[in-house]
Amino acid sequence: MTRAQYINLGRSGLKVSRLILGTWYLPTLPELDSYGVRRINEEATLRLWRKAVDMGVNTIDTANRYHGAIAPVPVTHVGYVERLLGRFLKTVDRDSLVIATKVRFRMGNGPNDEGLSRKHILKAVKDSLERLQTGYIDLYQAHGPDPSTPLEETMRTLDYLVKEGLVHYVGCSNFQAWMVSEALAVSQRLGLVEFVSVQPLYNMLQRDAEKELFPLVREKGLGVICYSPLAQGLLAGRYLGGRAQDARASYSPSVNPLLTERNLQIVEQLAVMAKEKGVTLAQLSLAWLLHQPEVTAPIIGATKPEQLEENLQALEVKLSAEDLKRINEILERHPQQ
Ligand SMILES: NC(=O)c1ccc[n+]([C@@H]2O[C@H](COP(=O)([O-])OP(=O)(O)OC[C@H]3O[C@@H](n4cnc5c(N)ncnc54)[C@H](OP(=O)(O)O)[C@@H]3O)[C@@H](O)[C@H]2O)c1
């Protein structure tokens, strides 16, 4: 059985598994709840997480806002995934795991129920700790920028959380490079805790992070834990030859914009290459990410145990210079618009 490998998160001493387990979408049941949202298959989810941990995955990424089955998440459902993860953490050695969660998006209907203000972060962290049934969060990430709050206020609050021991490391997600740079400068100027990692969208089809974020990452030694590494299933071949009935596109609108002629052509060509190499398309796609020097660890999504196993085997896939050149040629034939 393939076991996960470990790597330092940026310049920090924290060791994360080279594949991180995501919790945005979870195994679901066919029926809808009274709000019209697909219900989570809790038992299947707990089994999936257990399997990941048993296979050596030590890092789990979540967010206070995740519900697990629909986007955008109704405010009535926020916190659901953290609560389920809290139940899971009671069944494992919590201290051996790295739990990453996030704050930023709307958690209620009031004016202070979202954002990166001191007031919202202090409430959000308390709520996340309660839902997760843990005394600390390993990596607390700003889920996105909040232009209405001064960065100084946000970084001072995060610094306070670290000093209190409630949070061990801090990072950010969906920040443009200049925002990360500004945040690092604020921390340095005021002697506050600094972001150790960024969490951008990054995969073979969506490579914006390479333009400005990755040069900054190299300069500052930031960790990169990238999300949607399989473009929500496209790079696993989930949409080759139509849509499977149980695929994410059948219940989430977030996949549709990805189903373009360009993307499907790339995926077809990559699938041919994967077959020739004797690996699956998902494994080729994850191995490509693992070969990018800036990438610390892709955050994988899986709704089935077979997907999880297949994806973890990507850790064993070696890509030669020739393989990487061939992939590059395929991608360059279809540049991102
Ligand atoms: N910071 C942010 O704003 C942000 C945004 C998005 C995600 N994230 C994080 O990143 C994690 C991963 O994102 P993601 O779920 O979009 O990742 P992804 O790996 O791009 O997509 C996962 C989906 O691909 C399909 N899949 C995965 N492995 C497969 C395999 N071996 N064979 C066939 N299909 C396979 C499954 O879809 P089906 O269910 O259709 O089979 C699965 O749900 C999330 O869970 C979350 O923790 C963060």
Side-chain angles (χ1 to χ4, degrees):
M1 192 205 272
T2 302
R3 289 195 55 84
Q5 303 145 12
Y6 308 95
I7 185 170
N8 281 55
L9 182 65
R11 284 188 182 151
S12 81
L14 184 68
K15 304 266 190 305
V16 296
S17 40
R18 278 227 80 192
L19 288 172
I20 291 174
L21 183 68
T23 59
W24 183 29
Y25 281 86
L26 301 174
T28 53
L29 294 164
E31 63 262 33
L32 305 179
D33 69 12
S34 53
Y35 294 93
V37 175
R38 273 171 83 109
R39 288 186 50 222
I40 303 299
N41 186 338
E42 295 191 349
E43 294 318 309
T45 301
L46 294 172
R47 278 198 302 274
L48 189 78
W49 290 345
R50 180 84 223 189
K51 188 177 184 67
V53 170
D54 286 348
M55 291 182 77
V57 171
N58 81 337
T59 309
I60 302 181
D61 177 74
T62 190
N64 57 355
R65 181 142 172 113
Y66 287 172
H67 166 256
I70 196 169
V73 185
V75 160
T76 41
H77 289 59
V78 295
Y80 176 90
V81 174
E82 280 190 339
R83 227 170 271 121
L84 193 56
L85 190 53
R87 254 177 71 193
F88 176 71
L89 292 181
K90 286 285 161 214
T91 67
V92 291
D93 174 12
R94 186 265 172 266
D95 288 331
S96 67
L97 297 183
V98 174
I99 300 300
T101 191
K102 314 187 193 83
V103 54
R104 158 70 181 89
F105 292 116
R106 187 159 280 289
M107 296 299 288
N109 294 320
N112 285 304
D113 291 339
E114 66 169 341
L116 296 175
S117 67
R118 184 171 180 84
K119 183 167 177 68
H120 182 63
I121 293 178
L122 292 181
K123 165 95 169 71
V125 77
K126 190 171 143 276
D127 291 348
S128 282
L129 288 168
E130 252 174 51
R131 285 189 291 259
L132 290 165
Q133 301 188 55
T134 182
Y136 65 97
I137 291 160
D138 295 275
L139 177 65
Y140 201 43
Q141 302 159 104
H143 205 155
D146 172 9
S148 74
T149 300
L151 263 172
E152 187 173 322
E153 177 176 335
T154 301
M155 297 316 298
R156 276 193 196 282
T157 310
L158 294 177
D159 187 68
Y160 165 77
L161 296 183
V162 172
K163 290 209 169 86
E164 288 296 302
L166 300 176
V167 161
H168 290 179
Y169 299 89
V170 296
C172 62
S173 177
N174 301 312
F175 274 43
Q176 290 175 39
W178 67 268
M179 296 170 178
V180 183
S181 180
E182 225 171 272
L184 292 176
V186 165
S187 294
Q188 265 163 24
R189 181 161 50 83
L190 302 173
L192 304 172
V193 67
E194 292 179 28
F195 287 144
V196 296
S197 60
V198 292
Q199 187 181 136
L201 169 66
Y202 185 56
N203 59 57
M204 285 202 269
L205 302 174
Q206 297 171 291
R207 298 170 62 185
D208 286 344
E210 289 173 6
K211 288 184 210 140
E212 293 186 2
L213 193 60
F214 283 5
L216 179 77
V217 159
R218 290 193 291 273
E219 170 72 20
K220 302 291 183 189
L222 293 164
V224 175
I225 54 175
C226 55
Y227 71 78
S228 296
L230 297 176
Q232 301 202 46
L234 235 76
L235 283 167
R238 209 67 173 94
Y239 300 93
L240 279 176
R243 291 174 192 202
Q245 251 191 346
D246 61 340
R248 189 182 292 182
S250 65
Y251 56 88
S252 165
S254 61
V255 182
N256 287 331
L258 289 168
L259 299 173
T260 62
E261 195 57 34
R262 171 216 177 231
N263 286 352
L264 292 169
Q265 276 179 13
I266 293 178
V267 168
E268 272 172 24
Q269 290 165 31
L270 291 169
V272 172
M273 179 177 169
K275 199 164 177 202
E276 282 172 25
K277 263 194 79 64
V279 297
T280 67
L281 178 57
Q283 289 164 347
L284 183 77
S285 306
L286 291 172
W288 180 83
L289 284 170
L290 291 164
H291 281 71
Q292 303 309 305
E294 295 83 2
V295 173
T296 309
I299 308 173
I300 55 170
T303 53
K304 298 183 180 59
E306 315 84 80
Q307 294 179 347
L308 178 69
E309 264 178 48
E310 181 183 328
N311 296 351
L312 284 175
Q313 279 159 14
L315 293 164
E316 309 297 326
V317 177
K318 301 272 175 289
L319 298 179
S320 65
E322 198 51 38
D323 291 332
L324 291 167
K325 187 163 161 263
R326 182 167 168 197
I327 292 174
N328 230 1
E329 280 164 6
I330 293 173
L331 300 178
E332 276 172 9
R333 271 204 294 278
H334 308 275
Q336 215 176 319
Q337 297 303 318

